[in-house]
Amino acid sequence: EVQLVESGGGLVQAGGSLRLSCAASGFTFDDYAIGWFRQAPGKEREGVSCISSSDGSTYYADSVKGRFTISSDNAKNTVYLYMNSLKPEDTAVYYCAAARGCSKIGVGHWGQGTQVTVSS
């Protein structure tokens, strides 16, 4: 069965950095896209980034473009989200998801989430 496990969240000061990891199992990794979403209290879940493991194409929300970088290590079946220049508004639970293409990532499989808190 499909399993996604997020890790790497924590508490950092504004301007700091974190690396989130999404470890995947139970499916053919190269056939899927992996995306990151986040949800803050009282707000809708929003897409952050997505990567297609088959060709390496990447996508970013305007709010994180230039600060976050998504990458895939296909040998480890793991996707990373490098988060730099963090702002308090980045505080949220971050989830990874898997689907057959970034266009379908919103209705894919989901992990349990990892908390990111950015203090000012």
Side-chain angles (χ1 to χ4, degrees), residues 21-118:
S21 299
C22 175
S25 63
F27 58 95
T28 303
F29 188 79
D30 291 351
D31 292 341
Y32 278 73
I34 304 293
W36 287 95
F37 291 76
R38 66 187 182 186
Q39 188 167 27
K43 296 184 178 180
E44 294 290 320
R45 187 163 60 186
E46 62 175 335
V48 176
S49 186
C50 187
I51 185 168
S52 173
S53 296
S54 60
D55 64 9
S57 299
T58 59
Y59 306 89
Y60 298 94
D62 289 342
S63 59
V64 306
K65 196 171 297 182
R67 299 188 298 120
F68 293 8
T69 302
I70 191 169
S71 65
S72 178
D73 186 339
N74 288 14
K76 297 181 179 180
N77 287 357
T78 300
V79 167
Y80 303 97
L81 185 67
Y82 295 87
M83 309 165 68
N84 301 308
S85 301
L86 284 162
K87 305 174 181 179
E89 52 262 44
D90 295 318
T91 296
V93 178
Y94 283 71
Y95 301 88
C96 65
R100 289 189 174 268
C102 284
S103 64
K104 303 178 181 179
I105 200 68
V107 293
H109 300 274
W110 297 84
Q112 85 290 346
T114 185
Q115 176 71 47
V116 172
T117 303
V118 184

